[in-house]
Amino acid sequence: MKLQSLSLLLAGLAVACSPASEPVPEPTPTTEAVSETPVFTNADALETYQTLGLVAGNPTPLPETGDVSIEDPEALFAEAIAYGAETESYALLVWWQGSLVLEHYYPGYSTDVRSEPASMHKSVLGLVTAKAIEDGFIGSVDDPISLYIPEWQGDERGEITVLQLLNMSSGLASLSYVGGDDSQARQFMAGNLDARATVLGMHMEEGADGPHFHYANAVSQLLMMVVENAIGGSYADYLSAEIWQPIGAEDAYVYNFEEDCFPRGYASFLARPLDWLRLGLLVKDNGVFAGEQVISSELMAELKGPAITNENYGWQIWRGATWQEQRFYNDEKAGFAVLQSEPYLTDDLVYFDGFGGQRVITSEEQDLVIVRLGNTSVTWDDAQLPNRVMRALDSLGEGE
């Protein structure tokens, strides 16, 4: 399904984060003719967004060390490629045992596509937070965020810890969706509100019975504020120097809310598919890239470990530890849920999740990274892509 307007994209970014008190239905295509409604797809983000900030790269070759030889990868991965086509994908990449064994771009797209990845940026923010801890800018995940948000000193909200932001268990109430496109939440995502003032205006949930899992865009934006205040400088520059250039990526871009360059922390990190693959390798290999320790293995283990409030969530990143046929984004099981029609074929998946099937999927056990970027699919089935890829790889052994 193609998005017919930018407003429908924003609805998609919102739906997973909707408050339990107001479930939001799945978005549906507009019935207007394409000629009457401008078509916006995730691939248009780089040309459409007006306030982009550079994350400077330093391109180097992928660290291929494997000796895998697949005679006809397009045939081997035909089922996975077909699912990509069904879901209007731009790119499908598979890394296995030290080699890029599939690099497939769908008609009209190429290696240079830098599309809207939705919430996959949250996982990048989680990695940057880990690096800021390693570098001593953030003392500990147990620090109260009042240490980094002076406006909340002496306020109960300041007692929230960095870890609770990372794990989406802050206890903060979601922004209001009352009013549809004119609501506070939608206007915030559209960049029409003062982003700093909006997140500083968040309040604690009423009647909440202790910490619980409640995924919300504004919580990631608050974490972005913590990180920028802690490092005392630009998120984009820090990401570039400490992660992006060390993994040999090409230039990428963040969306800035304001003239003072406050980046959108929950979406809109515009990078090439091959560079999302590099991030997947960094996660799979526990902070190591091309033999160099970019982020400490101890912090990566914590980042990939289960949250107390949700065993399938880590530090702004998802885990495939326990099968859930419907994966909700809050403990209340309200709003949108992602289908997973069968258990994963390995139980150690750690993955970036962007609304509508934007994915970087990793397995240390399988030595596997899968990247899918494309149009938003509200019928996305989380099991299909990794399991089709793993079944294809398993078939190689059957032929021996």
Side-chain angles (χ1 to χ4, degrees), residues 291-340:
E292 299 295 326
Q293 194 80 49
V294 178
I295 301 173
S296 83
S297 58
E298 293 80 10
L299 284 167
M300 288 300 300
E302 293 187 46
L303 180 144
K304 294 163 66 172
I308 294 174
T309 52
N310 186 344
E311 63 182 346
N312 280 345
Y313 200 71
W315 290 7
Q316 303 278 295
I317 200 166
W318 290 89
R319 295 160 37 86
T322 301
W323 179 45
Q324 298 172 312
E325 188 171 6
Q326 287 190 305
R327 174 169 59 88
F328 285 88
Y329 291 80
N330 51 66
D331 283 347
E332 297 83 3
K333 297 187 176 180
F336 185 78
V338 179
L339 171 68
Q340 185 186 334

Side-chain angles (χ1 to χ4, degrees), residues 55-380:
V55 179
N58 181 29
T60 59
L62 282 168
E64 294 192 77
T65 58
D67 58 0
V68 175
S69 177
I70 297 176
E71 183 175 341
D72 189 351
E74 297 280 326
L76 178 68
F77 296 110
E79 292 297 320
I81 292 170
Y83 188 68
E86 291 168 20
T87 54
E88 299 185 3
S89 298
Y90 311 148
L92 175 59
L93 311 181
V94 177
W95 175 282
W96 183 56
Q97 294 188 357
S99 298
L100 181 60
V101 294
L102 178 69
E103 183 178 5
H104 182 88
Y105 300 98
Y106 291 84
Y109 303 100
S110 72
T111 184
D112 291 325
V113 63
R114 291 172 169 86
S115 58
E116 172 58 68
S119 290
M120 290 213 299
H121 190 184
K122 291 181 172 74
S123 298
V124 181
L125 177 57
L127 291 168
V128 174
T129 306
K131 188 62 179 176
I133 293 168
E134 181 180 2
D135 290 345
F137 291 110
I138 296 174
S140 164
V141 290
D142 297 321
D143 281 355
I145 60 175
S146 59
L147 293 178
Y148 311 102
I149 300 181
E151 294 90 342
W152 284 5
Q153 290 179 2
D155 186 307
E156 66 170 335
R157 296 171 298 176
E159 298 173 8
I160 296 167
T161 66
V162 174
L163 181 60
Q164 287 173 321
L165 295 185
L166 286 164
N167 284 342
M168 293 290 186
S169 58
S170 67
L172 289 165
S174 296
L175 301 181
S176 173
Y177 289 85
V178 174
D181 285 345
D182 293 327
S183 68
Q184 182 190 31
R186 296 282 174 81
Q187 288 295 303
F188 166 68
M189 286 184 290
N192 295 333
L193 300 179
D194 183 319
R196 295 180 191 275
T198 299
V199 295
L200 287 174
M202 296 171 71
H203 55 83
M204 301 298 290
E205 289 181 307
E206 295 181 4
D209 186 19
H212 60 286
F213 180 71
H214 197 129
Y215 183 98
N217 287 337
V219 170
S220 294
Q221 197 60 41
L222 184 61
L223 178 61
M224 172 66 76
M225 182 180 290
V226 166
V227 169
E228 281 215 321
N229 287 352
I231 64 178
S234 161
Y235 168 84
D237 290 346
Y238 184 74
L239 167 57
S240 170
E242 300 300 327
I243 296 177
W244 205 239
Q245 293 193 29
I247 65 173
E250 292 198 10
D251 290 352
Y253 301 89
V254 292
Y255 171 93
N256 288 323
F257 274 113
E258 303 159 356
E259 291 182 0
D260 66 349
C261 300
F262 187 37
R264 178 181 277 159
Y266 59 84
S268 308
F269 181 67
L270 310 182
R272 300 183 319 144
L274 283 165
D275 294 329
W276 284 108
L277 176 70
R278 291 171 187 271
L279 288 170
L281 293 173
L282 186 68
V283 170
K284 175 182 70 71
D285 294 333
N286 300 306
V288 173
F289 188 86
E292 299 295 326
Q293 194 80 49
V294 178
I295 301 173
S296 83
S297 58
E298 293 80 10
L299 284 167
M300 288 300 300
E302 293 187 46
L303 180 144
K304 294 163 66 172
I308 294 174
T309 52
N310 186 344
E311 63 182 346
N312 280 345
Y313 200 71
W315 290 7
Q316 303 278 295
I317 200 166
W318 290 89
R319 295 160 37 86
T322 301
W323 179 45
Q324 298 172 312
E325 188 171 6
Q326 287 190 305
R327 174 169 59 88
F328 285 88
Y329 291 80
N330 51 66
D331 283 347
E332 297 83 3
K333 297 187 176 180
F336 185 78
V338 179
L339 171 68
Q340 185 186 334
S341 58
E342 63 178 352
Y344 295 126
L345 298 183
T346 185
D347 61 5
D348 76 327
L349 288 192
V350 176
Y351 59 99
F352 301 14
D353 168 10
F355 180 77
Q358 319 310 316
R359 293 291 186 273
V360 176
I361 301 165
T362 77
S363 168
E364 184 179 0
E365 181 179 306
Q366 301 288 323
D367 195 4
L368 176 68
V369 179
I370 304 167
V371 174
R372 182 270 178 185
L373 296 169
N375 284 344
T376 297
S377 170
V378 296
T379 59
W380 180 264

